[in-house]
């Protein structure tokens, strides 16, 4: 690889790091071609971009990035694959599901919305993090609950103020 090619790879990686808030580093070494293909397919279905990277080039891209990656560059040893996603828990869920049948991928570390996780022991924690969409859904559900109670009270009270007040006071107790 020429110096110009390396420089271009670093620029491309730096742009990818800048454009996402969810980055996972994993070790997929030792997987045979078929298993690697299955992992790539699972990542594709979950809208995760998976690529094998050279540690030195990724480290330089991290340095060039405006983001603070903390201890994450220290994990850049041996085989490293980068998983980029729009959903914070998607790569962890794919890794967890894949490991039901395989020993790898091993989670080296993750960068999610400026939070840094180093080590495979965080896999369970990361897979249980709620995505923005899930949090928004929970909030909407909580906001709708009181509205449903009022509508229910209006319907069961027969439309009369006294009935509505009685129904609402019974729901509070």
């Amino acid at each position: 690889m020429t110096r110009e090619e390396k420089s271009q790879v670093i620029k491309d990686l730096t742009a990818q790091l800048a454009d996402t808030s969810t980055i996972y580093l994993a070790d997929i070494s030792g997987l045979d071609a078929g298993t690697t293909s299955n992992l790539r397919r699972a990542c594709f279905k979950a809208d995760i971009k998976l690529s094998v990277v050279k540690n030195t080039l990724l480290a330089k891209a991290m340095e060039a990035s405006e983001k603070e990656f903390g201890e994450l560059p220290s994990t850049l040893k041996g085989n490293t694959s980068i998983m980029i996603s729009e959903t914070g828990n998607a790569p962890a869920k794919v890794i967890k599901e894949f490991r039901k049948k395989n020993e790898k991928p091993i989670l080296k570390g993750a960068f999610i919305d400026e939070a840094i996780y180093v080590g495979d022991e965080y896999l369970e924690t990361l897979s249980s993090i709620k995505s923005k969409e899930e949090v928004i859904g929970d909030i909407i559900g909580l906001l709708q609950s009181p509205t449903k109670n009022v509508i229910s009270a209006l319907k069961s009270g027969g439309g009369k103020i006294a009935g509505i007040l009685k129904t609402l006071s019974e729901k509070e107790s």
Side-chain angles (χ1 to χ4, degrees), residues 59-149:
K60 288 181 181 182
M62 287 177 159
E63 285 175 25
S65 170
E66 294 180 10
K67 294 181 179 176
E68 179 54 50
F69 290 102
E71 297 176 49
L72 222 46
S74 69
T75 67
L76 298 176
K77 295 177 178 92
N79 182 297
T80 303
S81 295
I82 186 168
M83 301 171 89
I84 297 176
S85 174
E86 292 298 316
T87 307
N89 62 2
K93 286 181 176 181
V94 167
I95 291 171
K96 189 176 170 185
E97 183 64 29
F98 208 76
R99 291 231 317 243
K100 289 179 179 177
K101 297 179 183 174
N102 303 284
E103 290 182 19
K104 293 195 175 179
I106 301 293
L107 176 67
K108 289 180 159 192
F111 175 91
I112 303 170
D113 294 321
E114 298 182 11
I116 298 164
Y117 304 87
V118 176
D120 193 58
E121 65 271 10
Y122 287 104
L123 184 61
E124 188 65 39
T125 303
L126 293 170
S127 66
S128 64
I129 290 176
K130 289 191 175 196
S131 69
K132 289 177 186 174
E133 292 78 16
E134 291 169 326
V135 171
I136 290 170
D138 288 351
I139 291 170
I140 290 171
L142 290 171
L143 292 173
Q144 285 179 341
S145 182
T147 307
K148 288 178 182 174
N149 289 342

Side-chain angles (χ1 to χ4, degrees), residues 153-154 156-169:
L154 290 171
S156 67
K160 296 191 167 105
I161 298 289
I164 294 168
L165 291 174
K166 181 180 178 209
T167 305
L168 285 174
S169 66

Side-chain angles (χ1 to χ4, degrees), residues 15-17 20 23 27 33 37 43-44 48 52 57 60-63 70 78 81 96 105 113 116 135-136 140 155 163:
Q16 286 179 352
L17 296 176
T20 187
I23 302 157
D27 176 2
S37 178
C43 287
F44 179 78
I48 300 167
V52 177
L57 300 181
K60 288 181 181 182
M62 287 177 159
E63 285 175 25
S81 295
K96 189 176 170 185
D113 294 321
I116 298 164
V135 171
I136 290 170
I140 290 171
K155 288 180 180 175

